[in-house]
Amino acid sequence: MRRQFFAAAAAVATMVALGACGSEPGGGTYPTNTVDPNAAAAESTTDPATEEPTTEEPTTEEPTTEEPTEQGPTINAHGNLDKEVGQEAGILDYDGTEHVKFTLTEYAWDMECTNEWAEGPKNGTFLGLHFDVMTTQEFVENDWATEFSMDSFEFGAYRGDTRVNDVDGNSYMCLDDNDQLPRIGPGQHATGWVVLDVPEDVTSVQFISFMTEGGWEWQVPRS
């Protein structure tokens, strides 16, 4: 079963679950009403005849204005959260704890391969996506996985609203290991490239982690 995901805004704002299941977060010990028997006895001995009448001034209550509820991020027509280059995204656990955050820092059309065994693009051209990724130390305590990856087979691409069938092509041999974004475990930070083999007229790319049931999408216009 895939985990539900939350999407982080640019400043790692509160994230909204898509169809989260299970019990709501929270719990704990709540206070209960108590009565002091001594105070109750003292109150009962008061002579009503000795009490002076009091006149209460009418109070005028100021109208209150309810604060608008916070709206979650909007899902686009492809079922993804729209992100901009340089805008942070993240994955949270059910209790709202963020365990992974990643940022597309730049992209490069007609990416030049660095692997000596690389073959030319099969689908049109190579599109390079450079990411900055971090995980928390607690990531390993989840039942998600023991490492986080952003491999080409977890990506997709669109030409407008038309989904591209193949984004792998010959991309898997394009880069040397030193240039690729590695898989990372808990409490790690890494940067690197993911390469897609796509048609020349692709307009956006999406990433869907194996840990989520939704994805993130970036517009990648040519300059």
Side-chain angles (χ1 to χ4, degrees), residues 125-129 152 155-157 167-168 171 194-198 205:
T125 189
F126 289 129
L127 172 60
L129 308 172
S152 61
F155 283 80
V167 298
D168 289 323
S171 64
V194 178
V195 177
L196 308 182
D197 187 345
V198 294
V205 295

Side-chain angles (χ1 to χ4, degrees), residues 94-115:
Y94 287 115
D95 64 359
T97 303
E98 185 180 50
H99 291 291
V100 181
K101 57 184 179 181
F102 53 90
T103 304
L104 175 63
T105 58
E106 62 176 309
Y107 63 91
W109 281 100
D110 307 318
M111 183 84 172
E112 293 186 5
C113 295
T114 56
N115 190 325

Side-chain angles (χ1 to χ4, degrees), residues 37 193 199 204 206:
W193 292 89
S204 66
Q206 71 173 11

